[in-house]
Amino acid sequence: RKEVEQDPGPFNVPEGATVAFNCTYSNSASQSFFWYRQDCRKEPKLLMSVYSSGNEDGRFTAQLNRASQYISLLIRDSKLSDSATYLCVVNLNTGGFKTIFGAGTRLFVKA
Amino acid sequence: SQTIHQWPATLVQPVGSPLSLECTVEGTSNPNLYWYRQAAGRGLQLLFYSVGIGQISSEVPQNLSASRPQDRQFILSSKKLLLSDSGFYLCAWAPNQGDPSGNTIYFGEGSWLTVV
């Protein structure tokens, strides 16, 4: 089983739609969580951190369920510019450093 | 503000040739530094990380090596490239605050390597 699993997609949605991505992690030592965005042939960029109480940044909402070891990202009112791959990221606290990236979920927003 | 640069951006190398990718970070001191590889359509694989000058940890066995000759310089090398070394190589940094598990990672622009 992969340490961080995401639905690879692709998700094809029209402009204005609401889309949700899910991510599960297997290691209960996971301590901090993030969503990154990666455009085609570019480096990943931090989209937002994920806090236990859930957090929102404009049209983006991230939620964490530690009991179920599950993270989500909700995008409301999708824009064409939201088309990208979204990476779920988990930091492990195992006495040493380890950051695990999911393989990503591809999103295509169509006009 | 902190910036990270890596080069070259693109390179095509024959099998068996050497490799050197370089990365520098500005605007911070004593960062954690990383090299990742992303194969086509795949996720990010951590290759090496460093918590200080001369301190290198390898995550996967391979024909690549890394060095950190200066605090904010990280180099990825190979003596003889294989076809399977082709991919997108990303240098990254994170603040070294004593508890790296809580750090956010910031990536360089990446280097596209094609081994032919």
PDB file of all heavy atoms in Angstrom, chain A residues 6 19-25 33-35 47-51 54-55 60-65 69-75 88:
ATOM      1  N   GLN A   6      -3.804   8.981  -3.829  1.00  0.00           N
ATOM      2  CA  GLN A   6      -4.754   9.913  -4.417  1.00  0.00           C
ATOM      3  C   GLN A   6      -5.388   9.281  -5.651  1.00  0.00           C
ATOM      4  O   GLN A   6      -4.748   8.461  -6.328  1.00  0.00           O
ATOM      5  CB  GLN A   6      -4.045  11.194  -4.882  1.00  0.00           C
ATOM      6  CG  GLN A   6      -3.371  12.002  -3.824  1.00  0.00           C
ATOM      7  CD  GLN A   6      -2.742  13.246  -4.425  1.00  0.00           C
ATOM      8  OE1 GLN A   6      -1.525  13.398  -4.454  1.00  0.00           O
ATOM      9  NE2 GLN A   6      -3.575  14.154  -4.901  1.00  0.00           N
ATOM     10  N   VAL A  19     -15.366  20.976  -7.333  1.00  0.00           N
ATOM     11  CA  VAL A  19     -14.708  19.680  -7.452  1.00  0.00           C
ATOM     12  C   VAL A  19     -13.959  19.386  -6.154  1.00  0.00           C
ATOM     13  O   VAL A  19     -13.452  20.296  -5.498  1.00  0.00           O
ATOM     14  CB  VAL A  19     -13.750  19.667  -8.658  1.00  0.00           C
ATOM     15  CG1 VAL A  19     -12.666  20.722  -8.517  1.00  0.00           C
ATOM     16  CG2 VAL A  19     -13.132  18.300  -8.869  1.00  0.00           C
ATOM     17  N   ALA A  20     -13.963  18.114  -5.784  1.00  0.00           N
ATOM     18  CA  ALA A  20     -13.298  17.705  -4.536  1.00  0.00           C
ATOM     19  C   ALA A  20     -12.291  16.602  -4.804  1.00  0.00           C
ATOM     20  O   ALA A  20     -12.571  15.667  -5.557  1.00  0.00           O
ATOM     21  CB  ALA A  20     -14.341  17.224  -3.526  1.00  0.00           C
ATOM     22  N   PHE A  21     -11.129  16.741  -4.183  1.00  0.00           N
ATOM     23  CA  PHE A  21     -10.085  15.720  -4.279  1.00  0.00           C
ATOM     24  C   PHE A  21      -9.889  15.102  -2.902  1.00  0.00           C
ATOM     25  O   PHE A  21      -9.900  15.801  -1.898  1.00  0.00           O
ATOM     26  CB  PHE A  21      -8.753  16.336  -4.712  1.00  0.00           C
ATOM     27  CG  PHE A  21      -8.821  17.076  -6.000  1.00  0.00           C
ATOM     28  CD1 PHE A  21      -8.167  18.280  -6.152  1.00  0.00           C
ATOM     29  CD2 PHE A  21      -9.532  16.576  -7.075  1.00  0.00           C
ATOM     30  CE1 PHE A  21      -8.215  18.977  -7.338  1.00  0.00           C
ATOM     31  CE2 PHE A  21      -9.592  17.266  -8.274  1.00  0.00           C
ATOM     32  CZ  PHE A  21      -8.933  18.481  -8.401  1.00  0.00           C
ATOM     33  N   ASN A  22      -9.658  13.824  -2.905  1.00  0.00           N
ATOM     34  CA  ASN A  22      -9.416  13.118  -1.656  1.00  0.00           C
ATOM     35  C   ASN A  22      -8.016  12.530  -1.626  1.00  0.00           C
ATOM     36  O   ASN A  22      -7.438  12.223  -2.669  1.00  0.00           O
ATOM     37  CB  ASN A  22     -10.438  12.002  -1.480  1.00  0.00           C
ATOM     38  CG  ASN A  22     -11.847  12.526  -1.470  1.00  0.00           C
ATOM     39  OD1 ASN A  22     -12.099  13.587  -0.936  1.00  0.00           O
ATOM     40  ND2 ASN A  22     -12.753  11.787  -2.086  1.00  0.00           N
ATOM     41  N   CYS A  23      -7.534  12.330  -0.419  1.00  0.00           N
ATOM     42  CA  CYS A  23      -6.195  11.774  -0.230  1.00  0.00           C
ATOM     43  C   CYS A  23      -6.208  10.984   1.072  1.00  0.00           C
ATOM     44  O   CYS A  23      -6.768  11.444   2.070  1.00  0.00           O
ATOM     45  CB  CYS A  23      -5.189  12.919  -0.163  1.00  0.00           C
ATOM     46  SG  CYS A  23      -3.523  12.454   0.339  1.00  0.00           S
ATOM     47  N   THR A  24      -5.630   9.810   1.055  1.00  0.00           N
ATOM     48  CA  THR A  24      -5.498   9.035   2.288  1.00  0.00           C
ATOM     49  C   THR A  24      -4.032   8.759   2.552  1.00  0.00           C
ATOM     50  O   THR A  24      -3.235   8.633   1.618  1.00  0.00           O
ATOM     51  CB  THR A  24      -6.257   7.696   2.207  1.00  0.00           C
ATOM     52  OG1 THR A  24      -5.760   6.953   1.086  1.00  0.00           O
ATOM     53  CG2 THR A  24      -7.745   7.928   2.053  1.00  0.00           C
ATOM     54  N   TYR A  25      -3.689   8.691   3.833  1.00  0.00           N
ATOM     55  CA  TYR A  25      -2.315   8.388   4.209  1.00  0.00           C
ATOM     56  C   TYR A  25      -2.313   7.234   5.184  1.00  0.00           C
ATOM     57  O   TYR A  25      -3.277   7.029   5.924  1.00  0.00           O
ATOM     58  CB  TYR A  25      -1.612   9.620   4.789  1.00  0.00           C
ATOM     59  CG  TYR A  25      -2.256  10.211   6.011  1.00  0.00           C
ATOM     60  CD1 TYR A  25      -1.838   9.857   7.294  1.00  0.00           C
ATOM     61  CD2 TYR A  25      -3.281  11.147   5.892  1.00  0.00           C
ATOM     62  CE1 TYR A  25      -2.422  10.402   8.412  1.00  0.00           C
ATOM     63  CE2 TYR A  25      -3.872  11.697   7.007  1.00  0.00           C
ATOM     64  CZ  TYR A  25      -3.445  11.325   8.268  1.00  0.00           C
ATOM     65  OH  TYR A  25      -4.036  11.863   9.380  1.00  0.00           O
ATOM     66  N   PHE A  33       0.425  18.491   6.955  1.00  0.00           N
ATOM     67  CA  PHE A  33      -0.207  18.129   5.687  1.00  0.00           C
ATOM     68  C   PHE A  33      -0.337  19.358   4.797  1.00  0.00           C
ATOM     69  O   PHE A  33      -0.559  20.476   5.288  1.00  0.00           O
ATOM     70  CB  PHE A  33      -1.600  17.534   5.952  1.00  0.00           C
ATOM     71  CG  PHE A  33      -1.597  16.455   6.989  1.00  0.00           C
ATOM     72  CD1 PHE A  33      -1.748  16.763   8.327  1.00  0.00           C
ATOM     73  CD2 PHE A  33      -1.425  15.135   6.622  1.00  0.00           C
ATOM     74  CE1 PHE A  33      -1.722  15.769   9.309  1.00  0.00           C
ATOM     75  CE2 PHE A  33      -1.397  14.136   7.579  1.00  0.00           C
ATOM     76  CZ  PHE A  33      -1.539  14.454   8.916  1.00  0.00           C
ATOM     77  N   PHE A  34      -0.207  19.123   3.498  1.00  0.00           N
ATOM     78  CA  PHE A  34      -0.231  20.233   2.554  1.00  0.00           C
ATOM     79  C   PHE A  34      -0.884  19.788   1.256  1.00  0.00           C
ATOM     80  O   PHE A  34      -0.892  18.592   0.929  1.00  0.00           O
ATOM     81  CB  PHE A  34       1.200  20.690   2.222  1.00  0.00           C
ATOM     82  CG  PHE A  34       2.049  20.987   3.428  1.00  0.00           C
ATOM     83  CD1 PHE A  34       2.795  19.979   4.026  1.00  0.00           C
ATOM     84  CD2 PHE A  34       2.113  22.253   3.964  1.00  0.00           C
ATOM     85  CE1 PHE A  34       3.590  20.231   5.132  1.00  0.00           C
ATOM     86  CE2 PHE A  34       2.902  22.529   5.070  1.00  0.00           C
ATOM     87  CZ  PHE A  34       3.642  21.517   5.650  1.00  0.00           C
ATOM     88  N   TRP A  35      -1.346  20.761   0.507  1.00  0.00           N
ATOM     89  CA  TRP A  35      -1.704  20.561  -0.896  1.00  0.00           C
ATOM     90  C   TRP A  35      -0.775  21.423  -1.739  1.00  0.00           C
ATOM     91  O   TRP A  35      -0.584  22.606  -1.462  1.00  0.00           O
ATOM     92  CB  TRP A  35      -3.159  20.951  -1.168  1.00  0.00           C
ATOM     93  CG  TRP A  35      -4.150  19.935  -0.696  1.00  0.00           C
ATOM     94  CD1 TRP A  35      -4.897  19.969   0.435  1.00  0.00           C
ATOM     95  CD2 TRP A  35      -4.512  18.719  -1.372  1.00  0.00           C
ATOM     96  NE1 TRP A  35      -5.702  18.858   0.524  1.00  0.00           N
ATOM     97  CE2 TRP A  35      -5.483  18.072  -0.578  1.00  0.00           C
ATOM     98  CE3 TRP A  35      -4.121  18.118  -2.568  1.00  0.00           C
ATOM     99  CZ2 TRP A  35      -6.063  16.854  -0.935  1.00  0.00           C
ATOM    100  CZ3 TRP A  35      -4.692  16.903  -2.921  1.00  0.00           C
ATOM    101  CH2 TRP A  35      -5.651  16.279  -2.122  1.00  0.00           C
ATOM    102  N   LEU A  47       0.123  25.176  -2.385  1.00  0.00           N
ATOM    103  CA  LEU A  47      -1.217  25.758  -2.525  1.00  0.00           C
ATOM    104  C   LEU A  47      -1.721  26.188  -1.150  1.00  0.00           C
ATOM    105  O   LEU A  47      -2.107  27.330  -0.943  1.00  0.00           O
ATOM    106  CB  LEU A  47      -2.165  24.739  -3.160  1.00  0.00           C
ATOM    107  CG  LEU A  47      -3.611  25.162  -3.344  1.00  0.00           C
ATOM    108  CD1 LEU A  47      -3.699  26.315  -4.330  1.00  0.00           C
ATOM    109  CD2 LEU A  47      -4.467  23.999  -3.814  1.00  0.00           C
ATOM    110  N   MET A  48      -1.698  25.243  -0.222  1.00  0.00           N
ATOM    111  CA  MET A  48      -2.127  25.576   1.135  1.00  0.00           C
ATOM    112  C   MET A  48      -1.743  24.470   2.098  1.00  0.00           C
ATOM    113  O   MET A  48      -1.605  23.303   1.702  1.00  0.00           O
ATOM    114  CB  MET A  48      -3.639  25.829   1.194  1.00  0.00           C
ATOM    115  CG  MET A  48      -4.508  24.680   0.754  1.00  0.00           C
ATOM    116  SD  MET A  48      -6.225  25.174   0.419  1.00  0.00           S
ATOM    117  CE  MET A  48      -6.724  25.929   1.956  1.00  0.00           C
ATOM    118  N   SER A  49      -1.552  24.858   3.328  1.00  0.00           N
ATOM    119  CA  SER A  49      -1.374  23.886   4.397  1.00  0.00           C
ATOM    120  C   SER A  49      -2.751  23.387   4.805  1.00  0.00           C
ATOM    121  O   SER A  49      -3.769  24.021   4.513  1.00  0.00           O
ATOM    122  CB  SER A  49      -0.681  24.525   5.598  1.00  0.00           C
ATOM    123  OG  SER A  49       0.576  25.040   5.219  1.00  0.00           O
ATOM    124  N   VAL A  50      -2.784  22.263   5.486  1.00  0.00           N
ATOM    125  CA  VAL A  50      -4.050  21.690   5.941  1.00  0.00           C
ATOM    126  C   VAL A  50      -4.006  21.594   7.449  1.00  0.00           C
ATOM    127  O   VAL A  50      -3.125  20.917   8.010  1.00  0.00           O
ATOM    128  CB  VAL A  50      -4.285  20.289   5.342  1.00  0.00           C
ATOM    129  CG1 VAL A  50      -5.676  19.790   5.711  1.00  0.00           C
ATOM    130  CG2 VAL A  50      -4.107  20.295   3.833  1.00  0.00           C
ATOM    131  N   TYR A  51      -4.942  22.239   8.116  1.00  0.00           N
ATOM    132  CA  TYR A  51      -4.971  22.262   9.569  1.00  0.00           C
ATOM    133  C   TYR A  51      -6.105  21.384  10.085  1.00  0.00           C
ATOM    134  O   TYR A  51      -7.095  21.146   9.391  1.00  0.00           O
ATOM    135  CB  TYR A  51      -5.131  23.696  10.060  1.00  0.00           C
ATOM    136  CG  TYR A  51      -4.042  24.619   9.579  1.00  0.00           C
ATOM    137  CD1 TYR A  51      -4.347  25.742   8.817  1.00  0.00           C
ATOM    138  CD2 TYR A  51      -2.702  24.354   9.858  1.00  0.00           C
ATOM    139  CE1 TYR A  51      -3.349  26.580   8.351  1.00  0.00           C
ATOM    140  CE2 TYR A  51      -1.707  25.181   9.388  1.00  0.00           C
ATOM    141  CZ  TYR A  51      -2.028  26.291   8.640  1.00  0.00           C
ATOM    142  OH  TYR A  51      -1.038  27.101   8.182  1.00  0.00           O
ATOM    143  N   GLY A  54      -9.552  22.469   9.733  1.00  0.00           N
ATOM    144  CA  GLY A  54      -9.984  22.822   8.382  1.00  0.00           C
ATOM    145  C   GLY A  54      -9.645  24.280   8.111  1.00  0.00           C
ATOM    146  O   GLY A  54      -9.632  25.109   9.021  1.00  0.00           O
ATOM    147  N   ASN A  55      -9.360  24.602   6.892  1.00  0.00           N
ATOM    148  CA  ASN A  55      -9.015  25.981   6.563  1.00  0.00           C
ATOM    149  C   ASN A  55      -9.419  26.293   5.124  1.00  0.00           C
ATOM    150  O   ASN A  55      -9.531  25.406   4.287  1.00  0.00           O
ATOM    151  CB  ASN A  55      -7.519  26.261   6.793  1.00  0.00           C
ATOM    152  CG  ASN A  55      -6.595  25.231   6.195  1.00  0.00           C
ATOM    153  OD1 ASN A  55      -6.633  24.044   6.555  1.00  0.00           O
ATOM    154  ND2 ASN A  55      -5.773  25.655   5.259  1.00  0.00           N
ATOM    155  N   PHE A  60     -10.724  27.820  -2.220  1.00  0.00           N
ATOM    156  CA  PHE A  60     -10.136  26.535  -1.836  1.00  0.00           C
ATOM    157  C   PHE A  60     -10.378  26.255  -0.355  1.00  0.00           C
ATOM    158  O   PHE A  60     -10.149  27.113   0.490  1.00  0.00           O
ATOM    159  CB  PHE A  60      -8.637  26.529  -2.118  1.00  0.00           C
ATOM    160  CG  PHE A  60      -8.292  26.737  -3.565  1.00  0.00           C
ATOM    161  CD1 PHE A  60      -8.211  28.010  -4.104  1.00  0.00           C
ATOM    162  CD2 PHE A  60      -8.065  25.656  -4.389  1.00  0.00           C
ATOM    163  CE1 PHE A  60      -7.909  28.204  -5.448  1.00  0.00           C
ATOM    164  CE2 PHE A  60      -7.757  25.826  -5.733  1.00  0.00           C
ATOM    165  CZ  PHE A  60      -7.683  27.112  -6.261  1.00  0.00           C
ATOM    166  N   THR A  61     -10.832  25.043  -0.071  1.00  0.00           N
ATOM    167  CA  THR A  61     -11.034  24.612   1.302  1.00  0.00           C
ATOM    168  C   THR A  61     -10.350  23.274   1.508  1.00  0.00           C
ATOM    169  O   THR A  61     -10.555  22.342   0.722  1.00  0.00           O
ATOM    170  CB  THR A  61     -12.529  24.458   1.620  1.00  0.00           C
ATOM    171  OG1 THR A  61     -13.181  25.717   1.424  1.00  0.00           O
ATOM    172  CG2 THR A  61     -12.729  24.010   3.062  1.00  0.00           C
ATOM    173  N   ALA A  62      -9.538  23.202   2.557  1.00  0.00           N
ATOM    174  CA  ALA A  62      -8.841  21.961   2.879  1.00  0.00           C
ATOM    175  C   ALA A  62      -9.345  21.437   4.206  1.00  0.00           C
ATOM    176  O   ALA A  62      -9.628  22.208   5.122  1.00  0.00           O
ATOM    177  CB  ALA A  62      -7.338  22.200   2.950  1.00  0.00           C
ATOM    178  N   GLN A  63      -9.463  20.122   4.297  1.00  0.00           N
ATOM    179  CA  GLN A  63      -9.906  19.509   5.543  1.00  0.00           C
ATOM    180  C   GLN A  63      -9.068  18.284   5.853  1.00  0.00           C
ATOM    181  O   GLN A  63      -8.560  17.609   4.959  1.00  0.00           O
ATOM    182  CB  GLN A  63     -11.394  19.136   5.465  1.00  0.00           C
ATOM    183  CG  GLN A  63     -12.306  20.348   5.371  1.00  0.00           C
ATOM    184  CD  GLN A  63     -13.750  19.979   5.582  1.00  0.00           C
ATOM    185  OE1 GLN A  63     -14.209  18.998   5.004  1.00  0.00           O
ATOM    186  NE2 GLN A  63     -14.453  20.745   6.397  1.00  0.00           N
ATOM    187  N   LEU A  64      -8.947  18.021   7.148  1.00  0.00           N
ATOM    188  CA  LEU A  64      -8.154  16.900   7.627  1.00  0.00           C
ATOM    189  C   LEU A  64      -8.991  16.089   8.604  1.00  0.00           C
ATOM    190  O   LEU A  64      -9.625  16.644   9.498  1.00  0.00           O
ATOM    191  CB  LEU A  64      -6.896  17.425   8.338  1.00  0.00           C
ATOM    192  CG  LEU A  64      -6.099  16.452   9.186  1.00  0.00           C
ATOM    193  CD1 LEU A  64      -5.485  15.353   8.329  1.00  0.00           C
ATOM    194  CD2 LEU A  64      -5.016  17.190   9.963  1.00  0.00           C
ATOM    195  N   ASN A  65      -8.973  14.796   8.442  1.00  0.00           N
ATOM    196  CA  ASN A  65      -9.626  13.882   9.376  1.00  0.00           C
ATOM    197  C   ASN A  65      -8.568  12.904   9.858  1.00  0.00           C
ATOM    198  O   ASN A  65      -8.235  11.930   9.177  1.00  0.00           O
ATOM    199  CB  ASN A  65     -10.779  13.140   8.685  1.00  0.00           C
ATOM    200  CG  ASN A  65     -11.559  12.260   9.636  1.00  0.00           C
ATOM    201  OD1 ASN A  65     -10.975  11.644  10.547  1.00  0.00           O
ATOM    202  ND2 ASN A  65     -12.861  12.193   9.455  1.00  0.00           N
ATOM    203  N   GLN A  69      -7.523   9.273   8.729  1.00  0.00           N
ATOM    204  CA  GLN A  69      -6.289   9.482   7.972  1.00  0.00           C
ATOM    205  C   GLN A  69      -6.625   9.888   6.543  1.00  0.00           C
ATOM    206  O   GLN A  69      -6.216   9.242   5.564  1.00  0.00           O
ATOM    207  CB  GLN A  69      -5.394   8.237   8.049  1.00  0.00           C
ATOM    208  CG  GLN A  69      -4.951   7.946   9.475  1.00  0.00           C
ATOM    209  CD  GLN A  69      -3.964   6.810   9.601  1.00  0.00           C
ATOM    210  OE1 GLN A  69      -3.547   6.472  10.701  1.00  0.00           O
ATOM    211  NE2 GLN A  69      -3.564   6.210   8.506  1.00  0.00           N
ATOM    212  N   TYR A  70      -7.327  10.984   6.461  1.00  0.00           N
ATOM    213  CA  TYR A  70      -7.922  11.408   5.208  1.00  0.00           C
ATOM    214  C   TYR A  70      -7.822  12.927   5.104  1.00  0.00           C
ATOM    215  O   TYR A  70      -8.042  13.655   6.074  1.00  0.00           O
ATOM    216  CB  TYR A  70      -9.376  10.932   5.244  1.00  0.00           C
ATOM    217  CG  TYR A  70     -10.320  11.491   4.252  1.00  0.00           C
ATOM    218  CD1 TYR A  70     -10.551  10.840   3.049  1.00  0.00           C
ATOM    219  CD2 TYR A  70     -11.038  12.643   4.532  1.00  0.00           C
ATOM    220  CE1 TYR A  70     -11.473  11.325   2.149  1.00  0.00           C
ATOM    221  CE2 TYR A  70     -11.950  13.147   3.627  1.00  0.00           C
ATOM    222  CZ  TYR A  70     -12.171  12.479   2.445  1.00  0.00           C
ATOM    223  OH  TYR A  70     -13.075  12.966   1.542  1.00  0.00           O
ATOM    224  N   ILE A  71      -7.451  13.397   3.895  1.00  0.00           N
ATOM    225  CA  ILE A  71      -7.337  14.834   3.629  1.00  0.00           C
ATOM    226  C   ILE A  71      -8.160  15.138   2.391  1.00  0.00           C
ATOM    227  O   ILE A  71      -8.227  14.298   1.476  1.00  0.00           O
ATOM    228  CB  ILE A  71      -5.875  15.208   3.354  1.00  0.00           C
ATOM    229  CG1 ILE A  71      -4.958  14.734   4.476  1.00  0.00           C
ATOM    230  CG2 ILE A  71      -5.706  16.705   3.168  1.00  0.00           C
ATOM    231  CD1 ILE A  71      -3.525  14.632   4.034  1.00  0.00           C
ATOM    232  N   SER A  72      -8.754  16.312   2.350  1.00  0.00           N
ATOM    233  CA  SER A  72      -9.522  16.666   1.172  1.00  0.00           C
ATOM    234  C   SER A  72      -9.207  18.095   0.745  1.00  0.00           C
ATOM    235  O   SER A  72      -8.752  18.924   1.536  1.00  0.00           O
ATOM    236  CB  SER A  72     -11.026  16.513   1.438  1.00  0.00           C
ATOM    237  OG  SER A  72     -11.442  17.458   2.406  1.00  0.00           O
ATOM    238  N   LEU A  73      -9.467  18.351  -0.532  1.00  0.00           N
ATOM    239  CA  LEU A  73      -9.347  19.693  -1.096  1.00  0.00           C
ATOM    240  C   LEU A  73     -10.595  19.951  -1.921  1.00  0.00           C
ATOM    241  O   LEU A  73     -10.934  19.162  -2.805  1.00  0.00           O
ATOM    242  CB  LEU A  73      -8.105  19.818  -1.968  1.00  0.00           C
ATOM    243  CG  LEU A  73      -7.936  21.164  -2.681  1.00  0.00           C
ATOM    244  CD1 LEU A  73      -7.650  22.272  -1.664  1.00  0.00           C
ATOM    245  CD2 LEU A  73      -6.796  21.091  -3.701  1.00  0.00           C
ATOM    246  N   LEU A  74     -11.271  21.041  -1.627  1.00  0.00           N
ATOM    247  CA  LEU A  74     -12.481  21.424  -2.343  1.00  0.00           C
ATOM    248  C   LEU A  74     -12.194  22.709  -3.107  1.00  0.00           C
ATOM    249  O   LEU A  74     -11.697  23.670  -2.525  1.00  0.00           O
ATOM    250  CB  LEU A  74     -13.635  21.628  -1.366  1.00  0.00           C
ATOM    251  CG  LEU A  74     -14.989  21.969  -1.971  1.00  0.00           C
ATOM    252  CD1 LEU A  74     -15.619  20.709  -2.554  1.00  0.00           C
ATOM    253  CD2 LEU A  74     -15.923  22.577  -0.923  1.00  0.00           C
ATOM    254  N   ILE A  75     -12.516  22.695  -4.382  1.00  0.00           N
ATOM    255  CA  ILE A  75     -12.367  23.902  -5.198  1.00  0.00           C
ATOM    256  C   ILE A  75     -13.760  24.325  -5.662  1.00  0.00           C
ATOM    257  O   ILE A  75     -14.458  23.568  -6.341  1.00  0.00           O
ATOM    258  CB  ILE A  75     -11.464  23.660  -6.421  1.00  0.00           C
ATOM    259  CG1 ILE A  75     -10.101  23.110  -5.993  1.00  0.00           C
ATOM    260  CG2 ILE A  75     -11.283  24.955  -7.210  1.00  0.00           C
ATOM    261  CD1 ILE A  75      -9.187  22.748  -7.152  1.00  0.00           C
ATOM    262  N   CYS A  88      -1.057  15.817  -2.915  1.00  0.00           N
ATOM    263  CA  CYS A  88      -1.273  15.706  -1.480  1.00  0.00           C
ATOM    264  C   CYS A  88       0.083  15.402  -0.837  1.00  0.00           C
ATOM    265  O   CYS A  88       0.825  14.528  -1.326  1.00  0.00           O
ATOM    266  CB  CYS A  88      -2.262  14.574  -1.225  1.00  0.00           C
ATOM    267  SG  CYS A  88      -2.554  14.151   0.489  1.00  0.00           S
TER     268      CYS A  88
END
